[in-house]
Amino acid sequence: MDQRIGLMGGMFDPPHPGHRAIADSFLRSGYLDALWILPTAHPPHKPAKTTSFEHRIAMCRFAFDGLPGCVISDIESELASPNYTLHTVQHLAAQNPEAEFCLCIGSDALESFHSWYRWEDLIRAVPLLVAQRAGYDRVIPNTMRGMESRIQFIRHVPLADSSTEHRQDPMSGLHPKVSRYIALNGLYPG
């Protein structure tokens, strides 16, 4: 039987309890055998001023430590820049033909999914597992009509955390090892 692996990408700048909570929801959904956390190495859509990939990987290892089935992957650092989610999925599928992948996103990302690079090719390559967040209906956007069979919603009770809040007050609510790492490396100075 193929292993069902969820792919959860993002900046994780910094990884916060909300990220861990949504990862836990994906793992508890019953749809996955494992969840791979994929920090973005060279985001084509984000400002150049982001914390280094190496720091974000290190913080992810602390933030998701002890979450059964969760794996931190640095695969995106090996891919050419700019890298899009579709490229990552194609690379992983070629390297792991025995795995059945799905893309794990929040319902807020589902609303803008049609703006992702070659989104139609992406959703054909991997189905979406969508964590329903507060304030977002369990509705598939009009732009994605006809793709309903490729989208599965799961229950998720989100935390109020966001990466922006943690960059402004980096020690607030973070895993203690992440907070210590931020302090030791002088990240997110006020």
Side-chain angles (χ1 to χ4, degrees):
M1 181 169 148
D2 293 344
Q3 187 179 29
R4 296 171 299 171
I5 300 171
L7 305 174
M8 186 172 123
M11 291 299 297
F12 302 105
D13 192 12
H16 55 71
H19 290 133
R20 185 180 172 103
I22 198 169
D24 189 51
S25 292
F26 286 127
L27 286 164
R28 291 177 183 270
S29 71
Y31 290 98
L32 303 176
D33 298 312
L35 178 67
W36 292 0
I37 304 296
L38 307 170
T40 305
H42 310 288
H45 61 288
K46 294 282 186 175
K49 191 171 184 165
T50 58
T51 306
S52 78
F53 181 74
E54 292 73 21
H55 284 314
R56 291 184 288 117
I57 280 283
M59 288 188 288
C60 281
R61 288 191 175 113
F62 291 131
F64 295 98
D65 184 46
L67 195 58
C70 195
V71 176
I72 310 304
S73 172
D74 64 357
I75 191 66
E76 289 212 354
S77 68
E78 300 172 16
L79 303 176
S81 177
N83 183 54
Y84 294 94
T85 304
L86 178 63
H87 300 149
T88 301
V89 165
Q90 290 170 332
H91 178 80
L92 290 172
Q95 297 297 313
N96 302 277
E98 76 292 346
E100 181 183 323
F101 291 106
C102 69
L103 188 60
C104 297
I105 62 173
S107 52
D108 55 337
L110 181 62
E111 285 192 354
S112 62
F113 192 77
H114 66 279
S115 68
W116 290 29
Y117 175 77
R118 293 177 52 192
W119 72 271
E120 290 169 311
D121 293 331
L122 180 57
I123 199 170
R124 285 185 190 103
V126 289
L128 303 181
L129 195 57
V130 181
Q132 186 174 359
R133 292 182 177 179
Y136 292 90
D137 292 331
R138 200 177 190 139
V139 174
I140 296 172
N142 288 334
T143 53
M144 298 179 74
R145 293 289 176 214
M147 301 289 186
E148 291 87 353
S149 67
R150 304 292 293 163
I151 302 168
Q152 178 65 48
F153 288 91
I154 65 159
R155 290 181 47 188
H156 172 59
V157 179
L159 301 176
D161 296 333
S162 78
S163 293
T164 302
E165 291 169 2
H166 286 291
R167 281 192 296 275
Q168 293 167 353
D169 184 8
M171 300 309 175
S172 171
L174 294 179
H175 188 289
K177 289 183 179 179
V178 173
S179 294
R180 193 167 28 254
Y181 186 90
I182 289 170
L184 287 172
N185 289 281
L187 305 179
Y188 316 113

